[in-house]
Amino acid sequence: MVAPVLEVTHVFCCPNRVRGALSWSSGPGGLLAFGTSCSVVLYDPQERVVITNLNGHTARVNCVQWICKQDGSPSTELVSGGSDNQVIHWEIENNQLLKAVHLQGHEGPVYAVHALYQKRAPGVGLHTLIVSAASDSTVRVWSKNGSEVTCLQTLNFGNGFTLALCLSCLPDTDGEYPAKAPASFALCSRNCTSVFSCDELCAGAPRGEGLTHTGFILENLPLFILPVPILACGDDDCKIHLFVQQNDQFQKVLFLCGHEDWIRGVEWATFGQDLFLASCSQDCLIRIWKLYVKSTSLGTQDDDNIKLKENTFTIEIEGITVAFAVTLETVLAGHENWVNAVHWQPSFYKDGLLQQPMRLLSASMDKTMILWAPDEESGVWLEQVRVGEVGGNTLGFYDCQFNEDGSMIIAHAFHGALHLWKQNTANLREWTPEIVISGHFDGVQDLMWDPEGEFIITVGTDQTTRLFAPWKRKGQSQVTWHEIARPQIHGYDLKCLAMISRFQFVSGADEKVLRVFSAPRNFVENFYAITGQSVNLVLCNQDGDLPEGATVPALGLSNKAVFQGDLASQPSNEEELLTSNGFEYQPVAFQPSILTEPPTEDHLLQNTLWPEVQKLYGHGYEIFCVACSNSKTLLASACKAAKKEHAAIILWNTTSWKQVQNLVFHSLTVTQMAFSPNDKFLLAVSRDRTWSLWKRQDTVSPELDPIFSLFAFTNKITAVHSRIIWSCDWSPDSKYFFTGSRDKKVVAWGECDSSDDSVEHSIGPCSSVLDVGGAVTAVSVCPMLNLAQRSVFGYVVAVGLECGKICLYTWKKTDQVPEINDWTHCVETSQSQSHTLAIKKLCWKNCNGKTEQNGTEGAEWLHFASCGEDHTVKMHRVNRCAL
């Protein structure tokens, strides 16, 4: 098999912040499917890796549902609904997308989907019955046979909305009986419209007198009884509406009252001959309803017995009228806030036998998830386990799921985070947190590798800064990447960042201030423990007063350092807390801990902040971009601007944190800046469609701050780009720089001669204009090494597009006038590898051409990372030999 040229090695993301965006496949080794922005992600919780991305929606994915197979084998089909008003049916084979079928017809965002396999006729293959609810106040019923999809019916709810729905089949309506009457039904000769259970007929016969079916009329019975689908819809009218399918049309048969607020979740489960429906609501309660075949007793009824109120309905099956009853089984009160989801444990095969445990999982906005089960002796439903979030600025759970055998449960939190718990095999009532995928829950705006190429830091409009690093386990060759710290949790949307040193960075947000952060001792220790390296050398070089961690004061935005002395002064036990003055505020929430594996979400929220060491004031509007010189001595920053005076670039000294210089040239926002690798030049590109190049002037004394002067620029006459220039980057030899624009063009400029002392220098395009076919939002350059001569003979240019695709080109200067055939298209990301929205940043690892420590792997592959508006961070590797 030929090795692929371009691979996605790691993906960081989390589910969308909506109910129903999560579904765990039944069957062994089930995959977790969830919607991230416009994409459906398939994640393997056992291996802790993303298997693939299903890209097809053009707006946010709101709901995902695997279609369960009756034989207990792993699901291979799923359905999803999105804000693009469409439902997509996905077919998976060998963990890769085989086929996607789009179901279009809704006139508003789709918020709930469900599907099951349906037998439509004897001896005919299974059809897929799909139901979808949207904000256009309709529920649509679809039938899929192969690639052919038919909309069977549209249920209109007037001014109301269906918030949750679930399909199942009525009990005792599933079977084929080619030669005799159904085992569970008998037709009474006195009343041809009544169906009775054989067991109940025999029980009603006089004692000692066996009841046979010889006197029953059997010729009217169907040879086949096909399953009859039933649909439950939870509405904003606080009722559950039940529909039964008759002649391909769903008819309303009943509505269930009892909840006092909007219904948020409904789900069917079959136990024996009965069908159970669990429903949850914003009234904080869970109700369990029982649906069963209602039969008329032959004997006299004792009307004095107290019985639950029955809601009854009748349907006709092949000309026979069957009566069903629904009763309220129980009401579960344990949550203190809206209950957003309820799910039954799925059935599974164990030792060849189908198991269906009666266990129910619920998730609530009170930050808890409860596992319910009936008591073995009394049958009373009791809370078995309660798990949840502790601390942090969180708001509860949207959803929950069981894995295939109920040994793991997962919760989807308000801020997108996943919480995974695993049952202890020794103590079944004990559940321990497990490591699970995490990532930004909104657009990712910027990304940087650390100078050594061992971790990446990202910032996003979800107001967080996140740090991802490899987890190297002893005795295992597989390395997976995980979020190991959340250095900044802010109150403003974050826009940009720059690494100042290995464990120090500066970030800019939608505020006028730049903030500088330094890694605390606890992070450094844990980072080296998780990545499997020695920490002693690093900490020996640090100051003795390195803080242990950081915490955010009440009503504050700044991360305050926590030192060893602060930890010692905390109340050490409950008694001290009770005896202390109640009005004293205990600000320290940070608790140092030594980790050997990636932290859980609770730990990330509270114990992985970095202390803020400096604030930089000087800009008049929101910070837009920031860059640091390669010598780490200068920092350049720019803010949003509509006038020339506000579009100035400010240079800062990274030791004293004082302003060094203001560089005024552009008339609109500077969108990106880059120092040349030799630090002789500073390049800036802008919304005004021009770029400016600033040259560093040699100073008399090394102690003096360097001065930059304008070296070259473009104007309306000399400009090549006709739209906003979003991105720029340098070649590693500092000879050329590249710009990418919304006008779909990428251009190489140069050559830049740092020894040229003329006041103004004209630098023009040194390449042909590359049209990439889409608006360019990110450009990054890496040297392509000739492995035999170890010399740079060309450049690999990664181009990120507004549509989410990444294209790789090689560029080599040909010295022809004009330049022709200098660009070569190498490879581009496939649909599953691409982002689904605009790419915000591309960044190559070890751009200076260093190879990795493990020689052969590093020599063969080039690595880069990408981030985008689709909430996703991806790490890619490119086969160097194939370029």
Side-chain angles (χ1 to χ4, degrees):
M1 184 177 174
V2 180
V5 178
L6 177 63
E7 292 179 353
V8 175
T9 54
H10 303 283
V11 179
F12 310 105
C13 57
C14 69
N16 289 328
R17 299 168 64 201
V18 287
R19 299 168 183 84
L22 187 70
S23 182
W24 205 331
S25 166
S26 57
L31 298 179
L32 191 68
F34 57 86
T36 292
S37 186
C38 310
S39 178
V40 177
V41 174
L42 301 187
Y43 173 72
D44 187 342
Q46 303 288 344
E47 298 295 326
R48 303 188 178 103
V49 292
V50 169
I51 301 299
T52 189
N53 281 46
L54 307 178
N55 295 338
H57 285 283
T58 55
R60 186 181 70 181
V61 175
N62 296 320
C63 46
V64 177
Q65 185 68 47
W66 285 100
I67 309 176
C68 295
K69 292 187 175 180
Q70 296 300 316
D71 60 1
S73 60
S75 302
T76 56
E77 296 177 41
L78 70 156
V79 286
S80 62
S83 292
D84 53 0
N85 305 354
Q86 64 177 338
V87 177
I88 301 182
H89 175 279
W90 312 89
E91 198 171 331
I92 311 298
E93 187 176 75
N94 298 325
N95 290 337
Q96 295 300 317
L97 176 62
L98 181 65
K99 189 165 49 178
V101 179
H102 295 246
L103 286 61
Q104 295 175 328
H106 280 293
E107 295 175 0
V110 179
Y111 281 104
V113 289
H114 201 260
L116 54 74
Y117 296 114
Q118 181 187 21
K119 202 168 188 65
R120 300 294 298 276
V124 177
L126 294 174
H127 289 221
T128 307
L129 185 66
I130 303 168
V131 290
S132 57
S135 62
D136 57 5
S137 299
T138 65
V139 171
R140 284 183 174 255
V141 183
W142 317 79
S143 178
K144 178 182 176 294
N145 183 22
S147 297
E148 186 182 334
V149 178
T150 311
C151 183
L152 298 178
Q153 189 180 1
T154 301
L155 302 172
N156 203 313
F157 285 81
N159 294 324
F161 296 100
T162 295
L163 304 172
L165 44 72
C166 189
L167 278 170
S168 188
C169 290
L170 285 170
D172 275 344
T173 63
D174 187 2
E176 290 189 19
Y177 310 99
K180 59 181 182 178
S184 58
F185 291 119
L187 188 62
C188 177
S189 58
R190 289 169 296 172
N191 182 357
C192 297
T193 60
S194 298
V195 176
F196 298 94
S197 162
C198 301
D199 298 335
E200 292 184 6
L201 282 169
C202 295
R207 190 178 298 278
E209 189 179 320
L211 186 70
T212 65
H213 294 161
T214 53
F216 285 62
I217 302 172
L218 298 179
E219 57 266 27
N220 292 333
L221 280 170
L223 293 180
F224 297 90
I225 293 182
L226 295 172
V228 178
I230 181 169
L231 170 66
C233 297
D235 270 41
D236 61 352
D237 61 1
C238 313
K239 297 172 184 173
I240 301 165
H241 300 257
L242 298 185
F243 298 83
V244 171
Q245 192 179 40
Q246 300 272 270
N247 302 320
D248 280 348
Q249 295 292 297
F250 276 93
Q251 310 289 338
K252 184 184 281 192
V253 292
L254 207 61
F255 57 83
L256 305 176
C257 300
H259 285 294
E260 297 175 354
D261 208 335
W262 291 5
I263 312 292
R264 282 298 179 185
V266 289
E267 187 161 290
W268 294 105
T270 304
F271 297 99
Q273 298 297 317
D274 299 324
L275 195 60
F276 283 77
L277 176 68
S279 62
C280 64
S281 164
Q282 292 179 182
D283 62 6
C284 313
L285 298 177
I286 300 162
R287 289 174 176 260
I288 299 177
W289 314 80
K290 180 181 175 183
L291 186 151
Y292 52 91
V293 178
K294 181 176 171 60
S295 55
T296 308
S297 175
L298 295 178
T300 58
Q301 294 185 349
D302 186 0
D303 292 330
D304 294 335
N305 288 341
I306 298 174
K307 295 199 304 180
L308 284 169
K309 179 189 173 184
E310 288 183 334
N311 297 284
T312 60
F313 64 92
T314 58
I315 64 166
E316 281 200 5
I317 305 175
E318 303 289 341
I320 305 166
T321 302
V322 186
F324 292 90
V326 181
T327 58
L328 179 65
E329 179 78 3
T330 188
V331 178
L332 306 180
H335 289 294
E336 298 170 358
N337 208 328
W338 295 1
V339 186
N340 282 326
V342 282
H343 293 287
W344 296 98
Q345 180 175 336
S347 55
F348 65 97
Y349 280 87
K350 186 177 181 182
D351 302 328
L353 297 173
L354 183 66
Q355 310 279 330
Q356 175 64 75
M358 191 174 269
R359 296 206 298 176
L360 185 70
L361 190 65
S362 62
S364 167
M365 290 299 279
D366 64 4
K367 302 188 186 184
T368 65
M369 185 165 66
I370 299 178
L371 185 59
W372 307 86
D375 183 63
E376 291 181 2
E377 294 181 2
S378 65
V380 176
W381 283 79
L382 299 173
E383 175 185 314
Q384 304 293 314
V385 176
R386 184 187 289 251
V387 293
E389 288 183 316
V390 179
N393 182 22
T394 56
L395 284 170
F397 292 142
Y398 275 131
D399 208 347
C400 56
Q401 290 281 321
F402 280 103
N403 75 330
E404 71 272 7
D405 62 358
S407 62
M408 296 171 84
I409 54 177
I410 198 163
H412 170 209
F414 184 82
H415 286 306
L418 291 171
H419 296 257
L420 181 65
W421 286 273
K422 188 173 184 179
Q423 192 172 25
N424 191 321
T425 51
N427 180 7
L428 296 181
R429 293 191 71 106
E430 183 182 323
W431 294 74
T432 53
E434 290 286 307
I435 298 158
V436 71
I437 189 171
S438 67
H440 291 274
F441 59 82
D442 209 338
V444 190
Q445 300 298 316
D446 205 354
L447 169 151
M448 288 290 291
W449 285 92
D450 91 291
E452 303 292 324
E454 289 185 355
F455 62 84
I456 56 177
I457 294 188
T458 59
V459 295
T461 47
D462 62 357
Q463 305 183 348
T464 64
T465 301
R466 300 174 188 244
L467 190 148
F468 302 93
W471 179 27
K472 296 176 182 173
R473 285 152 278 186
K474 289 182 180 177
Q476 290 192 31
S477 59
Q478 186 192 16
V479 175
T480 53
W481 282 63
H482 301 269
E483 182 182 354
I484 66 163
R486 206 165 293 169
Q488 185 183 11
I489 300 174
H490 203 33
Y492 292 97
D493 293 358
L494 289 155
K495 294 292 292 183
C496 54
L497 89 156
M499 297 291 292
I500 300 166
S501 66
R502 182 151 201 216
F503 294 119
Q504 194 174 50
F505 73 90
V506 60
S507 68
D510 279 344
E511 56 174 345
K512 302 174 186 179
V513 188
L514 287 156
R515 298 172 187 266
V516 185
F517 297 87
S518 261
R521 181 186 300 273
N522 193 239
F523 165 79
V524 177
E525 291 170 348
N526 289 336
F527 169 73
Y528 281 100
I530 293 167
T531 56
Q533 302 174 55
S534 172
V535 72
N536 296 331
L537 290 172
V538 180
L539 289 179
C540 288
N541 297 331
Q542 299 286 344
D543 298 331
D545 59 346
L546 200 64
E548 288 294 320
T551 186
V552 180
L555 306 179
L557 279 175
S558 302
N559 294 359
K560 182 185 174 188
V562 176
F563 292 91
Q564 192 69 43
D566 300 324
L567 296 169
S569 64
Q570 289 187 82
S572 57
N573 56 42
E574 194 175 337
E575 197 171 308
E576 283 184 47
L577 280 168
L578 291 171
T579 55
S580 66
N581 185 345
F583 295 103
E584 288 180 11
Y585 171 62
Q586 300 293 339
V588 180
F590 167 76
Q591 290 295 332
S593 55
I594 299 300
L595 302 174
T596 55
E597 61 181 30
T600 59
E601 180 69 16
D602 290 340
H603 190 91
L604 284 168
L605 283 169
Q606 286 196 173
N607 297 325
T608 61
L609 291 172
W610 288 17
E612 186 181 303
V613 295
Q614 193 71 39
K615 290 185 184 70
L616 306 180
Y617 297 93
H619 288 290
Y621 290 93
E622 297 94 329
I623 307 296
F624 198 84
C625 61
V626 64
C628 189
S629 65
N630 293 280
S631 61
K632 309 302 180 188
T633 56
L634 277 180
L635 185 75
S637 62
C639 70
K640 290 181 182 178
K643 294 180 180 178
K644 191 168 185 175
E645 57 265 31
H646 298 132
I649 299 167
I650 300 181
L651 297 181
W652 311 81
N653 183 310
T654 58
T655 306
S656 64
W657 295 117
K658 291 180 178 177
Q659 288 190 29
V660 175
Q661 195 178 356
N662 277 27
L663 308 180
V664 181
F665 172 78
H666 292 285
S667 56
L668 293 174
T669 306
V670 173
T671 52
Q672 193 172 357
M673 299 172 293
F675 284 91
S676 61
N678 61 11
D679 278 344
K680 297 287 186 183
F681 296 102
L682 170 63
L683 172 67
V685 293
S686 168
R687 278 183 183 273
D688 62 13
R689 309 174 186 179
T690 66
W691 55 258
S692 60
L693 187 64
W694 305 80
K695 185 186 174 190
R696 178 177 179 147
Q697 304 298 316
D698 293 328
T699 53
V700 181
S701 169
E703 288 94 30
L704 295 174
D705 290 320
I707 301 296
F708 279 78
S709 60
L710 189 61
F711 183 71
F713 58 89
T714 53
N715 53 36
K716 290 181 180 179
I717 300 168
T718 58
V720 174
H721 294 296
S722 58
R723 302 291 298 277
I724 177 175
I725 305 176
W726 276 123
S727 186
C728 63
D729 200 13
W730 284 91
S731 65
D733 52 15
S734 302
K735 289 182 179 178
Y736 310 100
F737 61 87
F738 297 76
T739 56
S741 165
R742 184 180 277 167
D743 62 8
K744 308 178 184 179
K745 297 173 185 172
V746 176
V747 182
W749 307 78
E751 189 170 305
C752 302
D753 184 5
S754 59
S755 62
D756 190 339
D757 291 328
S758 58
V759 178
E760 284 194 6
H761 195 81
S762 177
I763 293 179
C766 60
S767 73
S768 58
V769 175
L770 174 66
D771 189 328
V772 294
V776 179
T777 52
V779 170
S780 188
V781 187
C782 180
M784 187 169 73
L785 299 182
N786 183 327
L787 297 180
Q789 300 175 356
R790 292 286 176 185
S791 62
V792 177
F793 67 91
Y795 307 100
V796 180
V797 182
V799 180
L801 306 184
E802 198 170 48
C803 64
K805 186 183 288 185
I806 301 170
C807 305
L808 294 186
Y809 295 85
T810 54
W811 177 74
K812 185 178 180 182
K813 187 161 173 52
T814 61
D815 293 326
Q816 297 178 7
V817 181
E819 294 275 350
I820 54 171
N821 301 325
D822 52 343
W823 291 100
T824 307
H825 181 270
C826 298
V827 67
E828 62 184 41
T829 50
S830 65
Q831 187 180 27
S832 65
Q833 292 173 331
S834 299
H835 291 264
T836 52
L837 293 176
I839 291 173
K840 300 298 289 186
K841 186 71 178 286
L842 296 172
C843 193
W844 290 91
K845 177 181 180 180
N846 294 330
C847 288
N848 54 7
K850 292 179 185 174
T851 56
E852 302 222 342
Q853 293 175 358
N854 51 346
T856 55
E857 204 274 344
E860 186 180 352
W861 298 94
L862 297 168
H863 298 257
F864 70 93
S866 62
C867 65
E869 289 284 8
D870 62 351
H871 314 179
T872 307
V873 177
K874 295 188 178 189
M875 294 173 61
H876 313 256
R877 65 177 190 170
V878 188
N879 192 318
R880 190 196 306 254
C881 304
L883 293 175

